[in-house]
Amino acid sequence: MSPIEAVLVALAGVAAGTINTVVGSGTLITFPTLLAFGVPPVTANVSNTVGLVPGSMSGVFGYRRELAGQRARVLRLGSASLLGGIVGALLLLWLPSSAFDAIVPVLIALGVVLVVVGPRVQRAVAARAESRGGIPDHGVWWVWPAVAVTGVYGGYFGAAQGVLLMAVLGIGVADSMQRHTATKNVLALLVNAVAALVFIAVADIDWVVAGLIALGSVVGGQIGAGVGRRLPPALLRAVIALVGITALVVLLV
Protein backbone atom coordinates (compact mmCIF):
# COMPACT_ATOMS: atom_id res chain seq x y z
CA MET A 1 0.00 0.00 0.00
CA SER A 2 1.39 3.35 -1.05
CA PRO A 3 1.56 6.30 1.37
CA ILE A 4 -1.26 8.06 -0.48
CA GLU A 5 -3.46 4.95 -0.29
CA ALA A 6 -2.68 4.60 3.42
CA VAL A 7 -3.76 8.19 4.05
CA LEU A 8 -6.96 7.65 2.08
CA VAL A 9 -7.79 4.48 4.03
CA ALA A 10 -7.24 6.33 7.30
CA LEU A 11 -9.46 9.18 6.11
CA ALA A 12 -12.11 6.64 5.13
CA GLY A 13 -11.84 5.36 8.71
CA VAL A 14 -12.44 8.89 10.03
CA ALA A 15 -15.54 9.20 7.84
CA ALA A 16 -16.79 5.75 8.84
CA GLY A 17 -16.24 6.41 12.55
CA THR A 18 -18.12 9.69 12.30
CA ILE A 19 -21.00 8.22 10.32
CA ASN A 20 -21.29 5.11 12.49
CA THR A 21 -21.60 7.22 15.63
CA VAL A 22 -24.21 9.57 14.18
CA VAL A 23 -26.17 7.38 11.76
CA GLY A 24 -24.62 4.00 11.07
CA SER A 25 -23.50 2.63 7.67
CA GLY A 26 -19.86 3.70 7.83
CA THR A 27 -18.93 0.37 6.25
CA LEU A 28 -20.31 1.76 2.98
CA ILE A 29 -17.35 4.16 3.06
CA THR A 30 -14.48 1.90 4.14
CA PHE A 31 -15.45 -1.31 2.33
CA PRO A 32 -15.60 0.17 -1.21
CA THR A 33 -12.39 2.09 -0.48
CA LEU A 34 -10.58 -1.15 0.33
CA LEU A 35 -12.00 -2.85 -2.75
CA ALA A 36 -10.81 0.05 -4.90
CA PHE A 37 -7.26 -0.49 -3.62
CA GLY A 38 -7.33 -4.18 -4.53
CA VAL A 39 -8.02 -5.78 -1.15
CA PRO A 40 -9.94 -9.07 -1.67
CA PRO A 41 -13.62 -8.80 -0.57
CA VAL A 42 -13.53 -11.22 2.39
CA THR A 43 -10.18 -9.88 3.64
CA ALA A 44 -11.51 -6.35 3.27
CA ASN A 45 -14.64 -7.22 5.24
CA VAL A 46 -12.92 -8.91 8.18
CA SER A 47 -10.13 -6.31 8.35
CA ASN A 48 -12.70 -3.52 8.21
CA THR A 49 -14.70 -5.09 11.06
CA VAL A 50 -11.60 -5.36 13.25
CA GLY A 51 -10.54 -1.81 12.42
CA LEU A 52 -13.91 -0.24 13.21
CA VAL A 53 -14.12 -1.68 16.75
CA PRO A 54 -11.98 1.09 18.33
CA GLY A 55 -14.12 3.66 16.52
CA SER A 56 -17.27 2.09 17.93
CA MET A 57 -15.77 2.31 21.41
CA SER A 58 -14.97 5.96 20.79
CA GLY A 59 -18.57 6.63 19.74
CA VAL A 60 -19.97 4.87 22.81
CA PHE A 61 -17.74 6.97 25.04
CA GLY A 62 -18.86 10.13 23.27
CA TYR A 63 -22.54 9.31 23.88
CA ARG A 64 -22.05 8.15 27.48
CA ARG A 65 -24.40 10.81 28.91
CA GLU A 66 -27.34 9.39 26.95
CA LEU A 67 -26.62 5.92 28.34
CA ALA A 68 -27.51 6.98 31.90
CA GLY A 69 -30.27 4.76 33.28
CA GLN A 70 -30.09 2.24 30.42
CA ARG A 71 -27.93 -0.43 32.05
CA ALA A 72 -30.65 -3.10 32.33
CA ARG A 73 -31.85 -2.46 28.78
CA VAL A 74 -28.35 -2.59 27.33
CA LEU A 75 -27.50 -5.80 29.19
CA ARG A 76 -30.66 -7.53 27.99
CA LEU A 77 -30.43 -6.43 24.36
CA GLY A 78 -26.66 -6.80 24.38
CA SER A 79 -27.01 -10.55 24.82
CA ALA A 80 -28.99 -10.63 21.56
CA SER A 81 -26.31 -8.62 19.76
CA LEU A 82 -23.55 -10.90 21.02
CA LEU A 83 -25.37 -14.04 19.88
CA GLY A 84 -26.23 -12.56 16.50
CA GLY A 85 -22.72 -11.25 15.93
CA ILE A 86 -21.18 -14.69 16.54
CA VAL A 87 -23.61 -16.36 14.13
CA GLY A 88 -23.03 -13.72 11.46
CA ALA A 89 -19.24 -13.95 11.72
CA LEU A 90 -19.33 -17.74 11.46
CA LEU A 91 -21.61 -17.56 8.42
CA LEU A 92 -19.09 -15.28 6.73
CA LEU A 93 -16.33 -17.81 7.37
CA TRP A 94 -18.33 -20.93 6.52
CA LEU A 95 -19.98 -19.78 3.32
CA PRO A 96 -17.78 -19.97 0.21
CA SER A 97 -16.22 -16.75 -1.07
CA SER A 98 -18.34 -17.06 -4.21
CA ALA A 99 -21.44 -16.77 -2.02
CA PHE A 100 -20.01 -13.66 -0.38
CA ASP A 101 -19.26 -12.14 -3.78
CA ALA A 102 -22.87 -12.75 -4.79
CA ILE A 103 -24.40 -11.50 -1.53
CA VAL A 104 -22.35 -8.33 -1.04
CA PRO A 105 -24.02 -6.31 -3.85
CA VAL A 106 -27.42 -7.17 -2.38
CA LEU A 107 -26.29 -6.10 1.09
CA ILE A 108 -24.82 -2.85 -0.20
CA ALA A 109 -28.01 -2.12 -2.17
CA LEU A 110 -30.04 -2.77 0.98
CA GLY A 111 -27.76 -0.47 2.94
CA VAL A 112 -28.13 2.32 0.38
CA VAL A 113 -31.92 1.99 0.41
CA LEU A 114 -32.00 2.08 4.21
CA VAL A 115 -29.77 5.14 4.29
CA VAL A 116 -31.91 6.97 1.73
CA VAL A 117 -35.23 6.22 3.45
CA GLY A 118 -33.72 6.51 6.93
CA PRO A 119 -35.09 9.95 7.87
CA ARG A 120 -38.65 9.00 6.92
CA VAL A 121 -38.43 5.70 8.81
CA GLN A 122 -36.90 7.32 11.87
CA ARG A 123 -39.58 10.03 12.00
CA ALA A 124 -42.31 7.41 11.75
CA VAL A 125 -40.87 5.09 14.38
CA ALA A 126 -40.12 7.98 16.73
CA ALA A 127 -43.72 9.20 16.54
CA ARG A 128 -45.02 5.69 17.06
CA ALA A 129 -42.78 5.06 20.06
CA GLU A 130 -43.77 8.33 21.71
CA SER A 131 -47.48 7.67 21.21
CA ARG A 132 -47.44 4.19 22.77
CA GLY A 133 -47.67 3.55 26.48
CA GLY A 134 -47.01 0.59 28.70
CA ILE A 135 -43.96 -0.65 26.83
CA PRO A 136 -41.43 -2.39 29.09
CA ASP A 137 -38.12 -0.61 29.53
CA HIS A 138 -36.37 -3.23 27.40
CA GLY A 139 -39.03 -3.02 24.67
CA VAL A 140 -41.86 -5.20 23.41
CA TRP A 141 -41.38 -8.95 23.10
CA TRP A 142 -40.06 -8.97 19.53
CA VAL A 143 -37.29 -6.43 20.13
CA TRP A 144 -34.83 -9.04 21.48
CA PRO A 145 -35.11 -11.43 18.48
CA ALA A 146 -35.09 -8.46 16.08
CA VAL A 147 -31.84 -7.20 17.64
CA ALA A 148 -30.41 -10.73 17.36
CA VAL A 149 -31.27 -10.93 13.65
CA THR A 150 -29.72 -7.51 13.11
CA GLY A 151 -26.63 -8.81 14.90
CA VAL A 152 -26.40 -11.71 12.43
CA TYR A 153 -26.48 -9.19 9.60
CA GLY A 154 -23.94 -6.99 11.36
CA GLY A 155 -21.55 -9.87 12.03
CA TYR A 156 -21.74 -10.95 8.39
CA PHE A 157 -21.29 -7.55 6.73
CA GLY A 158 -22.59 -4.67 8.83
CA ALA A 159 -23.47 -1.90 6.39
CA ALA A 160 -26.57 -0.05 7.66
CA GLN A 161 -26.64 -2.14 10.85
CA GLY A 162 -27.10 1.09 12.80
CA VAL A 163 -30.08 2.14 10.70
CA LEU A 164 -31.72 -1.25 11.28
CA LEU A 165 -31.11 -0.99 15.02
CA MET A 166 -32.57 2.52 15.13
CA ALA A 167 -35.71 1.26 13.39
CA VAL A 168 -36.08 -1.64 15.85
CA LEU A 169 -35.46 0.53 18.91
CA GLY A 170 -37.64 3.36 17.64
CA ILE A 171 -40.62 1.08 17.08
CA GLY A 172 -40.31 -1.27 20.04
CA VAL A 173 -38.68 0.80 22.82
CA ALA A 174 -40.23 3.96 24.25
CA ASP A 175 -37.43 6.51 24.60
CA SER A 176 -35.92 9.51 22.83
CA MET A 177 -34.05 9.08 19.57
CA GLN A 178 -30.86 10.48 21.11
CA ARG A 179 -30.94 7.76 23.77
CA HIS A 180 -31.70 5.21 21.05
CA THR A 181 -28.57 6.41 19.28
CA ALA A 182 -26.52 5.76 22.40
CA THR A 183 -28.03 2.27 22.77
CA LYS A 184 -27.47 1.59 19.07
CA ASN A 185 -23.79 2.46 19.45
CA VAL A 186 -23.35 -0.04 22.29
CA LEU A 187 -25.18 -2.85 20.47
CA ALA A 188 -23.23 -2.25 17.26
CA LEU A 189 -19.99 -2.24 19.27
CA LEU A 190 -20.85 -5.63 20.78
CA VAL A 191 -21.59 -7.12 17.35
CA ASN A 192 -18.42 -5.72 15.82
CA ALA A 193 -16.28 -6.74 18.80
CA VAL A 194 -17.45 -10.36 18.97
CA ALA A 195 -17.21 -10.70 15.17
CA ALA A 196 -13.71 -9.21 15.30
CA LEU A 197 -12.65 -11.76 17.93
CA VAL A 198 -13.89 -14.59 15.72
CA PHE A 199 -12.07 -13.16 12.70
CA ILE A 200 -8.83 -12.63 14.63
CA ALA A 201 -8.92 -16.25 15.76
CA VAL A 202 -9.52 -17.91 12.41
CA ALA A 203 -9.44 -15.42 9.50
CA ASP A 204 -6.72 -13.69 7.50
CA ILE A 205 -6.57 -10.10 8.78
CA ASP A 206 -4.70 -7.38 6.91
CA TRP A 207 -3.34 -5.67 10.01
CA VAL A 208 -2.06 -2.63 8.15
CA VAL A 209 -5.55 -1.97 6.81
CA ALA A 210 -7.16 -2.71 10.18
CA GLY A 211 -4.72 -0.42 11.98
CA LEU A 212 -5.29 2.48 9.59
CA ILE A 213 -9.06 2.16 9.87
CA ALA A 214 -8.81 1.88 13.66
CA LEU A 215 -6.73 5.05 13.87
CA GLY A 216 -9.13 6.98 11.68
CA SER A 217 -12.31 5.61 13.22
CA VAL A 218 -11.28 6.59 16.77
CA VAL A 219 -10.93 10.18 15.60
CA GLY A 220 -14.19 9.89 13.69
CA GLY A 221 -16.02 8.53 16.70
CA GLN A 222 -15.20 11.65 18.67
CA ILE A 223 -16.14 13.90 15.77
CA GLY A 224 -19.46 12.09 15.40
CA ALA A 225 -20.21 12.36 19.10
CA GLY A 226 -19.33 16.04 19.10
CA VAL A 227 -21.51 17.06 16.18
CA GLY A 228 -24.11 14.27 16.11
CA ARG A 229 -26.62 16.13 18.24
CA ARG A 230 -26.59 19.14 15.91
CA LEU A 231 -25.51 18.05 12.43
CA PRO A 232 -28.33 17.16 10.00
CA PRO A 233 -27.44 13.78 8.51
CA ALA A 234 -28.75 14.59 5.01
CA LEU A 235 -25.31 15.37 3.54
CA LEU A 236 -23.75 12.33 5.19
CA ARG A 237 -26.53 10.12 3.84
CA ALA A 238 -25.99 11.51 0.34
CA VAL A 239 -22.27 10.70 0.51
CA ILE A 240 -22.95 7.17 1.76
CA ALA A 241 -25.51 6.59 -0.98
CA LEU A 242 -23.10 7.83 -3.65
CA VAL A 243 -20.27 5.61 -2.39
CA GLY A 244 -22.61 2.64 -2.12
CA ILE A 245 -23.87 3.08 -5.67
CA THR A 246 -20.27 3.38 -6.88
CA ALA A 247 -19.42 0.15 -5.07
CA LEU A 248 -22.38 -1.59 -6.70
CA VAL A 249 -21.21 -0.51 -10.14
CA VAL A 250 -17.66 -1.71 -9.45
CA LEU A 251 -18.78 -5.07 -8.08
CA LEU A 252 -21.38 -5.77 -10.75
CA VAL A 253 -19.26 -4.65 -13.70
Side-chain angles (χ1 to χ4, degrees), residues 156-184:
Y156 187 85
F157 185 56
Q161 176 188 190
V163 176
L164 292 171
L165 283 170
M166 289 297 288
V168 170
L169 295 172
I171 295 172
V173 180
D175 211 329
S176 70
M177 295 305 289
Q178 285 293 343
R179 283 168 62 82
H180 287 332
T181 298
T183 306
K184 174 266 295 179

Side-chain angles (χ1 to χ4, degrees), residues 18-200:
T18 302
I19 293 167
N20 279 340
T21 301
V22 178
V23 181
S25 310
T27 293
L28 290 181
I29 299 294
T30 47
F31 184 70
T33 300
L34 297 179
L35 294 182
F37 293 150
V39 181
V42 174
T43 301
N45 191 29
V46 298
S47 302
N48 178 65
T49 298
V50 173
L52 287 177
V53 170
S56 298
M57 296 174 64
S58 178
V60 169
F61 180 78
Y63 265 90
R64 62 192 181 279
R65 293 197 305 270
E66 287 77 8
L67 286 172
Q70 296 201 67
R71 180 177 181 181
R73 177 189 299 166
V74 168
L75 287 175
R76 182 184 181 94
L77 298 181
S79 64
S81 291
L82 287 173
L83 177 62
I86 293 173
V87 173
L90 293 177
L91 285 176
L92 175 65
L93 299 175
W94 288 340
L95 293 176
S97 59
S98 59
F100 181 81
D101 294 339
I103 293 171
V104 162
V106 178
L107 296 179
I108 293 179
L110 175 62
V112 171
V113 171
L114 289 173
V115 167
V116 171
V117 303
R120 182 180 302 174
V121 174
Q122 289 180 3
R123 284 194 297 269
V125 298
R128 184 172 181 178
E130 290 174 0
S131 65
R132 297 173 64 179
I135 299 177
D137 182 66
H138 55 266
V140 294
W141 68 269
W142 51 261
V143 168
W144 195 97
V147 169
V149 171
T150 303
V152 174
Y153 171 75
Y156 187 85
F157 185 56
Q161 176 188 190
V163 176
L164 292 171
L165 283 170
M166 289 297 288
V168 170
L169 295 172
I171 295 172
V173 180
D175 211 329
S176 70
M177 295 305 289
Q178 285 293 343
R179 283 168 62 82
H180 287 332
T181 298
T183 306
K184 174 266 295 179
N185 287 340
V186 174
L187 298 180
L189 167 62
L190 292 173
V191 171
N192 290 339
V194 71
L197 289 175
V198 173
F199 295 154
I200 290 171

